[in-house]
Each structure stands twice: as structure tokens, then as C-alpha cells.
Amino acid sequence: MSIGNNIKKLREKYGLSQKQIADIAGVSDKAVSTWENNLKEPRMGAVQKIADHFNLQKSNLIEENGLDISFSIDVTPVTDIVQLPIVATIRAGYNGQAIEERLGMEPAYGISNPQECVWFKVKGDSMSPDIKNGDFALVRQQPEVENGDLAVVIYDGELGTIKKFQHHGNAVSLVPINPAYETKVIVGEDLRQLIVYGKVIEIKRKF
């Protein structure tokens, strides 16, 4: 059985459209059609996204007998699809409240608290190669995050940006992944200029 057949079997099990699987994998619905018709095989990155979404191992989709369609394996059910706003830029507003510029809507899956979430369109390459310019980050809006979380933050009047958030003592470090960028350390009174917009809970890339 091909990867495409496994993906089709999984899709039909949950009554999803090719467009919905495409959104999960970060590809076009035409691409999903080519997989299911065995015209092309998906890239492993797309296969991994589908596997992660359904709480599967990648091998469940790659191997011939990886998906026993009796589904004795533990598969996390897909919940309702919601359309969430895409935020282009985030700025600090009056009294620190974030002012957003919005671009439209994008679907999200398995969100129990959609009223708290937005898509954030990534600008710049400070988190490359893990997160690239133009990627979409699903962000749950919350004023505090845990040590080591990826967060969208606003500091000293700059636009919102994604960084790894590290808290140590009376200081916070905003850590990039790209080694070409320096870690920003914020200490003491300067922490008043730091606003945590929310926690990054998913990254989506479209090709």
C-alpha cells in the first residue's frame, strides 16, 4: 500500500476533505489529490505533519501495513475546524495593549479555545531554519509563558516577533535560533517594556 493510500484511508476514516488534509500538511489540495492517485509521493515533512496531527508515528503512513484501518492504534480524533484571523503585525498600544493589523483568515484544527488564538505571519529569519519568513504561527494569546516556550513578544516599541523565551532571576532572554542574530537580554526596569503577546503552539508552512 502506498503512502497516498494510507493518507486517503486516514482522511476517509475521519470524513475529511482533501483541502482539510492539505491544510494540516501545509500543501495544496491538488497535492493531496496527486498523492492519493499515486501520481506523486509526499515529502517527508508533510507526512510528519499529518502523523503529528493524528498522534501517529510516521511509519504508520509510510509502511505498507502501517495503518490497520480497523484503527486498533490510538488515534486522536479531529475536532471542529475553525477559521482564525491572520495577524500581519503586532504593536504595543495604549497601556501596553497590543494593536494588531490583520490579513484575513486561516483554518485551524483541534482548538478548544479559538477565541484566544490567532495566526501570526512570521517576518524575518531570526528563527530560521526551524521557522522561516512567511510561515504561519498559531499563537494562543496569554500574558505569561513557561521557560523555554516559543512566544510572540513585543519589546521597546518594536513589532512583535517570535523568540524562545527564557526567564532567569530578574532577567529575560529572547533567544533566536539563527546564529546570525544575538540573544536579547532584558533586565530589571527594562522588563516593563516587554509584553508577552502569546505562546506559539503550531507552525504551518505553505509551498
Side-chain angles (χ1 to χ4, degrees):
M1 179 175 288
S2 70
I3 300 174
N5 287 342
N6 278 333
I7 290 173
K8 182 178 181 180
K9 189 176 286 189
L10 184 66
R11 178 176 68 79
E12 290 179 344
K13 171 71 176 180
Y14 287 106
L16 300 177
S17 68
Q18 290 182 342
K19 178 65 168 63
Q20 289 168 327
I21 290 293
D23 287 336
I24 293 169
V27 299
S28 69
D29 48 338
K30 183 178 179 181
V32 176
S33 176
T34 64
W35 302 344
E36 293 188 358
N37 288 293
N38 297 316
L39 299 176
K40 291 184 179 179
E41 286 202 345
R43 294 182 178 181
M44 289 300 100
V47 175
Q48 187 66 63
K49 288 180 180 179
I50 296 171
D52 289 345
H53 185 85
F54 290 95
N55 195 29
L56 296 171
Q57 297 297 318
K58 189 165 63 174
S59 59
N60 291 132
L61 297 175
I62 294 174
E63 296 176 0
E64 182 174 354
N65 297 316
L67 256 191
D68 174 6
I69 254 345
S70 65
F71 280 109
S72 57
I73 54 178
D74 181 21
V75 178
T76 301
V78 179
T79 56
D80 292 344
I81 302 166
V82 294
Q83 296 287 332
L84 298 176
I86 303 169
V87 174
T89 58
I90 301 172
R91 299 174 184 270
Y94 180 69
N95 285 338
Q97 184 176 357
I99 298 174
E100 306 165 348
E101 174 192 354
R102 302 196 176 191
L103 285 179
M105 307 292 283
E106 181 73 18
Y109 305 86
I111 305 300
S112 59
N113 50 347
Q115 71 281 359
E116 300 175 5
C117 297
V118 298
W119 287 104
F120 175 75
K121 189 169 185 180
V122 178
K123 295 185 177 182
D125 62 350
S126 67
M127 301 301 282
S128 179
D130 293 9
I131 306 173
K132 297 184 178 181
N133 183 56
D135 284 356
F136 292 88
L138 185 58
V139 181
R140 182 171 61 238
Q141 298 177 72
Q142 55 189 70
E144 297 180 358
V145 292
E146 298 292 330
N147 202 31
D149 283 345
L150 289 179
V152 173
V153 297
I154 306 165
Y155 176 66
D156 196 22
E158 298 177 355
L159 294 179
T161 182
I162 293 178
K163 291 293 183 293
K164 185 176 182 179
F165 189 95
Q166 292 185 338
H167 190 277
H168 36 92
N170 193 34
V172 166
S173 293
L174 304 179
V175 184
I177 292 174
N178 189 338
Y181 291 80
E182 294 183 354
T183 295
K184 186 186 295 289
V185 180
I186 307 169
V187 183
E189 291 296 316
D190 289 342
L191 289 171
R192 294 184 178 182
Q193 301 180 59
L194 176 65
I195 298 172
V196 176
Y197 179 81
K199 177 182 176 179
V200 176
I201 57 176
E202 181 183 335
I203 297 293
K204 180 187 292 188
R205 183 171 301 157
K206 296 188 176 184
F207 298 94

